[in-house]
Amino acid sequence: MTLIATAPPRVVDRRSARAFVDTHVVPYADDYDRSGRVPEDLLRQVAAAGLWAPFLPPESGGAGMDLVTLGEVHEEVGRGCSSLRSLLTVHTMVAWTVQRWGTPAQRERWAPALAAGDALGAFCLSEPGAGSDTAGITTTAAARGDGWVLNGVKKWTTGGQRADLFLVFARTATSIGAFLVPREAPGVEVRPIDDMLGTRASMLAEISFRDVALGPDALLGPSGFTAGMVLTGTLDLGRYSVAAGSVGIVQACLEASAAYAAERRVGGKALAELPLIQAKLSDMVTDARAARLLLAEAGRLKDAGESGTLMATWIAKYFASTAAVRHAAEAVQIHGANGCSPDYPVARLYRDAKVMEIIEGSNEIQRITIAGQAERETTS
Amino acid sequence: MSNTAKEQILDFVRGRYPQAEIDETQDIFALGFVNSLFAMELVMFVEKTFGVTIPNEELKIDNFRTANAMAELVARLSPTLAVA
């Protein structure tokens, strides 16, 4: 057996993910944020580390990583850079969906490329007039011959500037269907969206589909009422990854704030000795741990195939994203004017955290969903 | 058809909607109970409980309308389970 000495170590668990992120991501995340993109070099390193879709089974090019571990890995990536984690999230959604709902032919065509990072995936749901309210989707897929013709505009597509394969949700005659659309298909046009509030390096795009002709193999999963299930399942995994990334933001806020408070002195005392600062740090510690446990529970239920994972994931994402916003604001506060400057990462964490409350189902949708379940289960 | 499968499915549906009186022949879609979240939960429950994978072509609304229909689906996917 030949070992290539220079090959970077594979990411197989939290520890190796942490090492990867501390080496390749943390020192550069503010640069990515400023330049508005994750560089190709990092995308290649992510591929070399086996990070794109390690949850795929080995026969599809993955490592068969369980979802509890995947959550830990995405937390670590989110601790370093929410933009990179966002790219990982949408790619994860596409790769998982191909594996879960794809035909053998679809899996064979796409899964190995997605696992290797040779084809980057992006998830196209939101439109100029429809976000968390998916009932408002106007993109259409019309049956023509034995294939489909796609028309519409998708907006806020994370990774859209870079992705090779789009998972597009479109209205069919009977329901919302999921379609695999290669970037090079004629009629696909990608327009970058820059200068967002947060996750500024996640390479968002608006994507137009103008009479895009697709074969019968473009439809992923069932048609009819159950097609909505593909969307539900895909969003569930995306939500899980965003929850993980939000835990990572809280952890990053904690680490930055604790380090700053230990060093910075005011009136002859370290900030860390002031009770009001201690209160903020203690809340960060507690919420990081609570959010991590909620995430782990959602992951455990996923690995067990338990349907309870869907609600557990909603709750984990709701808790973690709101905690991230709260603690990122406090992290900036602890840093004072330095926190508002480009010299510390907390300003980026603050902006990135806000995005977490909006994507993969806004907080308002989350609260409606969580409350809906409570109401159903307690009304008698 | 396995009564056990039917009963387990009914228990699951009733657990999610304890205020409703649902029997094995009632169309839970017509009753307005099923949103996409619950539909996915139903599929995951059936797959986990009975150790089956529901292929795309069986993911049809008619297979999920009633506890009877779901139990028949389970029986088709897992004939040995049905006679057990």
Side-chain angles (χ1 to χ4, degrees), chain A residues 231-306:
Chain A
L231 180 57
T232 302
T234 307
L235 278 172
D236 173 63
L237 194 60
R239 209 168 279 131
Y240 181 65
S241 174
V242 171
S246 300
V247 180
I249 291 175
V250 179
Q251 182 66 32
C253 289
L254 169 61
E255 291 174 14
S257 299
Y260 189 83
E263 197 171 292
R264 174 81 175 183
R265 301 187 75 78
V266 53
K269 277 184 168 176
L271 275 187
E273 293 175 50
L274 304 180
L276 283 174
I277 300 297
Q278 290 170 341
K280 294 182 199 300
L281 290 176
S282 70
D283 287 357
M284 286 184 197
V285 170
T286 306
D287 280 351
R289 194 174 282 208
R292 193 172 287 128
L293 283 170
L294 287 174
L295 183 79
E297 174 70 355
R300 186 187 66 75
L301 292 168
K302 283 187 198 314
D303 285 329
E306 296 277 359

Side-chain angles (χ1 to χ4, degrees), chain B residues 1-69:
Chain B
M1 187 202 315
S2 163
N3 279 334
T4 314
K6 191 164 63 188
E7 285 306 317
Q8 283 177 277
I9 292 164
L10 265 181
D11 280 351
F12 180 74
V13 176
R14 286 169 175 159
R16 290 301 160 102
Y17 295 91
Q19 76 279 26
E21 286 169 14
I22 299 170
D23 70 27
E24 65 213 42
T25 62
Q26 261 169 321
D27 183 337
I28 57 177
F29 288 84
L31 291 171
F33 289 153
V34 179
N35 57 20
S36 62
L37 174 64
F38 183 59
M40 184 79 190
E41 287 176 335
L42 261 182
V43 169
M44 290 185 75
F45 171 78
V46 168
E47 291 191 340
K48 162 83 178 172
T49 305
F50 305 107
V52 296
T53 300
I54 303 171
N56 288 348
E57 61 271 18
E58 291 280 18
L59 284 169
K60 293 182 296 211
I61 190 165
D62 289 341
N63 283 338
F64 293 88
R65 282 188 192 281
T66 66
N68 274 343

